[in-house]
């Protein structure tokens, strides 16, 4: 194995807070970094934030903020979130770092010197969500972006073109010579057919906004955000001689949505910047997309779950384990809370936790909580040790192949075999018949296998691995230059002290399960219960977003299903402004716990000064059809308030409910 391993996550846009999707990639990258560290390699794990581009500039403007302040504020949650999920990056790059900007400027000049940039004019389609160009053919009818399902924008402006077409054959040759460059293999075929379909030169600068890295010697242009962002994998590695040794990156971990940028543009940019083929990254691994409880994660559905709230509710390791185990890495998958609880109880609690517990309890009886004296091994021990050797091999091969779900499968096969071994070898029976020597051998073997298992699970569940090790009398996993992967057990000395047995994965009982499901699970089916029954005064709640328009006659009763169609959420007013020429309306930005604040227009101006609303906790009808108010103003939801338009009282909620909490 080479000495070094360099892995990256995408450099995340800051218009959205970190969510389950970005956490998924980051956790996966951390798992691989840890695995390689265990194997004795020095790993470097880079993540960061992508702060330039039209998307960020627009959100900042919408919020009336300076884009630099906005970037500082929005980047921080990423930097702070990942360590809380035990993802320990070695470097956090921001595309606004002066050092990065300076180096990208130098790279630009190099690319220009190589004759790969020329000035022209671009006319075509641009999706701000993707920060990417589209041909007419690639868009859906009505010029809709196939990824974001929002209209692409027609743009026409002077631009520098990058001679991407020139690299078409070279890239195709490269993919042939290095098929492992794009993984999983099925993705390589997609990339190849895209390139074979013909590459066009790429517009790599913009002139209609200025939030980007300035193009050297042409201040009218800023670099296309992807040119700048892709190089942020590279520029921090030029900073010190030690970091230089990590280039080329071994793996860029990305979601399938951004594969083309990484598998086509990125190698072409690097070659153009003067790097050789040997200096291109080892692999681009594109994983699939997660849905949540069977639904696409989206702010309008209100199902964008904060990874931190999941980690707080279930434990960081449970989240990490579930994400790495339940979804075949590389394919799309569903994050299902019921399944997560099931896996926690079964795999972590019943299988691993229980194994540890029963072995320790028996050891207490047989050798007073000290490591027992191992005697002659019998066939049962030999069979278990063979299982361990095979499982460790299979798990390592799977981690090497970036198949963490298979690695975990292999490790849990060993856990299953160890549980069966205890059942069959029955140390309690040996002890009962006075054969302490045999009982000791069985327990010593099981403890050594548990030691090996604790090392193998460490990349995925580091806290639990170390907790388990403490209980079986081992120090936390230590990293060094040696390969620590347990292809065989490490023998221990009789008499070594063991720790205290305590449940590492206490069972989630039915009551806690229903609480967690209510919080994170799919919207429950209605039972016509108290919530609907208590909402008995609809007439006192006016439609604050449309002023005092007459409402159609309300029927005497509605069914629970009618009520359940309403997606009511807790929100916090981030910004409120008067709307010129509309004296009843305020334009608001509401934090609904979604990646981006919700723009809302509400008929509140006769009752509230904008500034007194900022920070107010409100109830929002989150699934109301968007409604236009002219002048480009669109309301994406409605606030609840009571009373006449000129004396409204806001319907509000106590501080216990976080933004985004469903109101039932
Ligand atoms: N800024 C660019 C990347 C530049 S890299 C030089 C970008 N940022 S992003 O914030 O939009 O992040 C996209 C990445 O987030 C995806 O590639 C994927 O890693 C992750 N995911 C976002 N939503 C996801 C799911 N629903 N499921 C799984 N991963 C998801 O693109």
């Amino acid at each position: 194995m080479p000495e070094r391993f360099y892995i990256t996550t995408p450099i995340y846009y800051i218009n959205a807070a970190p969510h389950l999707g970005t956490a998924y990639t980051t956790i996966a990258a951390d798992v691989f970094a840890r695995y390689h560290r265990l194997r004795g390699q020095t790993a470097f794990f880079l993540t960061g934030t992508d702060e330039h581009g039209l998307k960020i500039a627009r959100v900042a403007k919408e919020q009336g903020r300076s884009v630099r302040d906005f970037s500082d504020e929005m980047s921080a949650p990423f930097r702070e979130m990942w360590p809380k999920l035990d993802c320990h990056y070695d470097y956090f790059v921001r595309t606004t770092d002066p050092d990065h900007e300076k180096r990208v400027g130098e790279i630009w000049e190099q690319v220009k010197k190589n004759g790969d940039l020329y000035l022209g004019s671009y006319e075509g389609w641009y999706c701000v969500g993707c920060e990417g160009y589209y041909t007419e053919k690639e868009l859906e009818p009505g010029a809709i972006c196939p990824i974001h399902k929002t209209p692409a924008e027609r743009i026409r402006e002077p631009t520098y073109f990058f001679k991407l077409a020139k690299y078409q054959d070279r890239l195709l040759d490269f993919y042939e010579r290095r098929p492992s460059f794009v993984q999983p293999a099925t993705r390589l075929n997609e990339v190849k057919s895209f390139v074979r379909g013909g590459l066009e030169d790429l517009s790599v600068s913009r002139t209609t906004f200025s939030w980007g890295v300035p193009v050297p010697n042409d201040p009218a242009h800023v670099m296309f955000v992807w040119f700048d962002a892709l190089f942020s994998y590279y520029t921090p590695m030029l900073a010190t001689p030690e970091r230089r040794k990590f280039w080329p990156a071994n793996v860029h971990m990305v979601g399938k949505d951004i594969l083309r940028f990484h598998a086509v543009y990125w190698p072409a940019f690097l070659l153009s910047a003067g790097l050789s083929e040997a200096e291109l990254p080892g692999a681009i691994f594109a994983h699939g997309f997660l849905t949540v409880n069977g639904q696409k994660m989206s702010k309008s559905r209100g199902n964008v779950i904060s990874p931190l709230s999941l980690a707080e509710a279930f434990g960081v390791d449970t989240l990490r384990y579930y994400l790495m185990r339940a979804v075949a890495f590389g394919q799309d998958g569903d994050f299902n809370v019921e399944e997560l609880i099931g896996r926690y109880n079964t795999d972590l609690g019943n299988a691993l936790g229980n194994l540890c517990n029963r072995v320790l309890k028996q050891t207490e009886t047989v050798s007073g909580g000290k490591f027992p004296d191992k005697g002659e091994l019998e066939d049962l021990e030999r069979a278990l040790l063979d299982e361990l050797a095979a499982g460790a091999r299979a798990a390592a091969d799977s981690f090497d192949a970036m198949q963490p779900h298979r690695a975990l499968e292999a490790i849990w096969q060993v856990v299953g075999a160890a549980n069966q071994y205890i059942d069959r070898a029955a140390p309690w029976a040996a002890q009962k018949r006075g054969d302490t020597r045999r009982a000791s051998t069985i327990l010593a073997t099981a403890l050594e296998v548990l030691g090996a298992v604790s090392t193998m699970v460490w990349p995925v569940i580091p806290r639990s691995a170390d907790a388990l090790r403490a209980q079986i009398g081992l120090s936390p996993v230590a990293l060094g230059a040696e390969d620590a992967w347990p292809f065989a057990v490490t023998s221990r000395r009789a008499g070594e002290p063991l720790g205290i047995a305590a449940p590492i994965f206490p069972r989630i009982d039915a009551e806690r399960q229903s609480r967690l499901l209510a919080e994170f699970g799919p919207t429950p089916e209605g039972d016509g219960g108290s919530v609907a029954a208590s909402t008995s005064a609809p007439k006192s709640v006016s439609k604050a977003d449309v002023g005092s328009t007459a409402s159609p006659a309300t029927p005497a009763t509605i069914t629970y299903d009618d009520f359940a169609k309403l997606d009511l959420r807790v929100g916090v007013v981030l910004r409120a402004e008067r709307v010129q020429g509309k004296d009843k309306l305020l334009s608001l930005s509401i934090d609904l716990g979604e990646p981006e604040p919700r723009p809302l227009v509400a008929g509140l101006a006769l009752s509230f000064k904008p500034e007194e609303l900022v920070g107010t906790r409100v109830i929002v009808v989150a699934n109301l059809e968007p409604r236009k108010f002219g002048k480009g103003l669109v309301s994406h939801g409605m606030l609840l308030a009571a009373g006449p338009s000129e004396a409204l009282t806001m319907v509000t909620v106590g501080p216990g409910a976080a933004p985004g909490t469903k109101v039932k």
Side-chain angles (χ1 to χ4, degrees):
M1 264 202 183
E3 232 176 276
R4 289 182 183 74
F5 179 79
Y6 174 30
I7 188 164
T8 65
T9 71
I11 308 304
Y12 300 116
Y13 289 132
I14 52 171
N15 62 313
H19 54 74
L20 193 61
T22 44
Y24 181 52
T25 321
T26 313
I27 289 173
D30 180 76
V31 166
F32 291 115
R34 285 175 186 268
Y35 166 73
H36 284 274
R37 289 190 171 118
L38 260 188
R39 301 302 310 268
Q41 290 174 283
T42 312
F44 197 92
F45 171 16
L46 176 131
T47 187
T49 45
D50 184 355
E51 304 176 15
H52 290 129
L54 191 51
K55 179 161 34 183
I56 312 297
R58 277 196 187 156
V59 180
K61 191 163 173 221
E62 234 178 68
Q63 297 194 14
R65 310 276 310 272
S66 108
V67 61
R68 199 159 283 281
D69 285 356
F70 177 74
S71 298
D72 287 347
E73 183 186 310
M74 299 297 280
S75 168
F78 286 87
R79 184 188 291 272
E80 288 158 15
M81 165 83 74
W82 307 138
K84 291 182 186 154
L85 301 179
D86 283 341
C87 297
H88 296 294
Y89 49 80
D90 295 283
Y91 192 77
F92 189 97
V93 67
R94 295 181 60 183
T95 55
T96 49
D97 288 339
D99 191 59
H100 167 72
E101 294 196 1
K102 179 173 154 272
R103 289 186 200 271
V104 183
E106 287 161 11
I107 290 167
W108 178 281
E109 293 202 285
Q110 188 58 47
V111 169
K112 191 158 185 215
K113 218 158 61 226
N114 285 349
D116 284 343
L117 291 174
Y118 62 94
L119 201 52
S121 165
Y122 176 80
E123 177 163 6
W125 297 98
Y126 192 78
C127 169
V128 182
C130 298
E131 294 282 12
Y133 301 94
Y134 279 96
T135 61
E136 192 118 19
K137 260 196 338 230
E138 290 166 333
L139 292 172
E140 292 177 0
I144 298 293
C145 163
I147 292 178
H148 290 87
K149 308 289 176 201
T150 49
E153 295 177 15
R154 187 85 190 157
I155 59 173
R156 185 168 181 214
E157 58 183 320
T159 190
Y160 282 94
F161 281 102
F162 172 75
K163 289 188 181 168
L164 185 63
K166 168 180 148 184
Y167 286 90
Q168 176 165 338
D169 292 341
R170 197 152 167 210
L171 285 172
L172 286 170
D173 281 353
F174 174 61
Y175 303 143
E176 284 310 314
R177 275 196 301 279
R178 253 234 254 138
S180 58
F181 179 66
V182 180
Q183 296 184 44
T186 47
R187 299 276 173 209
L188 176 65
N189 296 333
E190 279 171 29
V191 169
K192 280 206 261 189
S193 63
F194 171 75
V195 177
R196 267 198 222 105
L199 293 180
E200 285 176 17
D201 289 350
L202 184 71
S203 160
V204 286
S205 75
R206 303 288 313 262
T207 51
T208 47
F209 64 95
S210 59
W211 183 236
V213 180
V215 165
N217 306 315
D218 198 343
H221 293 251
V222 291
M223 292 178 197
F224 171 43
V225 60
W226 275 95
F227 188 91
D228 142 34
L230 284 163
F231 276 104
S232 67
Y233 294 141
Y234 180 60
T235 54
M237 308 316 278
L238 302 174
T240 67
E242 191 39 47
R243 281 205 214 142
R244 275 175 190 265
K245 294 187 196 149
F246 283 95
W247 191 262
N250 296 70
V251 188
H252 293 306
M253 187 63 66
V254 298
K256 64 178 185 179
D257 54 328
I258 53 174
L259 177 60
R260 185 186 298 175
F261 295 97
H262 284 81
V264 182
Y265 301 173
W266 181 220
F269 289 164
L270 283 169
L271 290 170
S272 175
L275 276 74
S276 68
E277 265 185 28
E279 292 169 300
L280 296 183
I284 311 295
F285 190 100
H287 65 67
F289 255 45
L290 293 182
T291 47
V292 171
N293 296 314
Q295 293 181 316
K296 193 171 170 242
M297 264 185 262
S298 86
K299 50 183 185 169
S300 52
R301 283 209 181 84
N303 64 348
V304 181
I305 306 186
S306 145
L308 209 55
S309 57
L310 283 170
E312 276 159 11
F314 297 97
V316 174
D317 281 353
T318 313
L319 176 66
R320 292 172 62 107
Y321 176 78
Y322 174 72
L323 287 174
M324 292 298 103
R325 175 77 195 255
V327 180
F329 201 60
Q331 291 171 29
D332 290 341
D334 186 41
F335 180 91
N336 181 287
V337 175
E338 228 165 326
E339 196 189 324
L340 177 144
I341 296 172
R343 286 241 175 231
Y344 171 84
N345 279 338
T346 314
D347 300 1
L348 296 175
N350 291 356
L352 181 57
N354 231 5
L355 173 66
C356 179
N357 211 29
R358 59 207 292 231
V359 170
L360 281 176
K361 287 228 165 98
Q362 282 294 311
T363 312
E364 189 60 48
T365 318
V366 170
S367 57
K370 299 245 186 301
F371 193 84
D373 204 355
K374 191 160 65 171
E376 193 86 348
L377 300 190
E378 297 186 1
D379 281 351
L380 279 177
E381 282 73 55
R382 280 189 284 273
L384 177 64
L385 295 176
D386 285 350
E387 283 273 359
L388 171 72
R393 181 77 270 157
D397 289 348
S398 298
F399 274 129
D400 287 335
M402 285 184 276
Q403 299 281 278
H405 58 291
R406 291 221 183 288
L408 290 171
E409 226 170 85
I411 298 167
W412 256 259
Q413 202 146 346
V414 177
V415 173
N419 267 317
Q420 263 179 25
Y421 163 76
I422 296 289
D423 292 343
R424 292 164 72 184
W428 52 89
Q431 181 69 3
K432 207 165 163 193
R433 63 173 186 265
D435 192 352
T436 303
R437 196 171 161 70
R438 175 70 192 141
S440 299
T441 302
I442 297 165
L443 293 168
T445 306
L447 281 165
E448 285 177 355
V449 168
L450 259 174
V453 167
S454 72
T455 308
M456 290 195 286
V457 297
W458 180 81
V460 180
I461 49 170
R463 286 186 201 193
S464 313
D466 282 342
L468 195 157
R469 290 173 72 82
Q471 293 194 13
I472 59 175
L474 294 174
S475 46
V477 166
L479 301 168
E482 295 295 309
D483 183 355
W485 194 252
F487 290 106
V489 294
T490 307
S491 296
R492 298 178 61 181
R493 270 204 315 269
E496 275 180 7
L498 302 182
I500 296 160
I504 303 171
F505 309 104
R507 199 172 173 77
I508 299 181
D509 60 24
E511 196 216 311
R512 197 166 148 233
Q513 176 157 342
S514 56
R515 259 191 294 124
L516 290 168
L517 274 174
E519 191 171 353
F520 298 105
T523 320
E525 290 296 316
D527 59 3
S530 59
V531 179
S534 67
T535 317
S536 58
K539 279 182 225 131
S540 66
V541 175
S542 79
K543 296 197 224 163
D545 71 333
V546 290
S548 52
T549 47
S551 52
T554 316
T557 55
I558 58 166
T559 63
Y560 182 86
D561 285 345
D562 286 331
F563 171 71
K565 285 183 196 150
L566 282 179
D567 187 15
L568 298 175
R569 302 266 164 187
V570 174
V572 173
V573 180
L574 297 176
R575 190 182 55 78
E577 271 170 12
R578 294 194 185 280
V579 179
Q580 254 196 352
K582 307 251 180 192
D583 53 4
K584 283 188 185 167
L585 298 184
L586 292 183
S587 155
L588 308 164
S589 243
I590 311 280
D591 179 4
L592 276 184
E594 300 171 330
E596 288 172 52
R598 274 275 186 126
L600 238 85
V601 181
L604 300 171
L606 301 182
S607 300
F608 300 99
K609 290 203 184 96
E611 59 277 19
E612 57 181 304
L613 285 177
V614 173
T616 306
R617 304 167 72 77
V618 292
I619 306 296
V620 175
V621 184
N623 59 345
L624 199 70
E625 211 176 51
R627 193 189 149 129
K628 290 188 183 153
F629 283 83
K631 298 191 170 179
L633 281 177
V634 182
S635 189
H636 294 266
M638 182 172 87
L639 290 182
L640 299 188
S645 311
E646 49 299 326
L648 284 168
T649 304
M650 196 66 83
V651 176
T652 184
V653 63
T661 307
K662 198 163 166 51
V663 178
K664 301 180 281 185

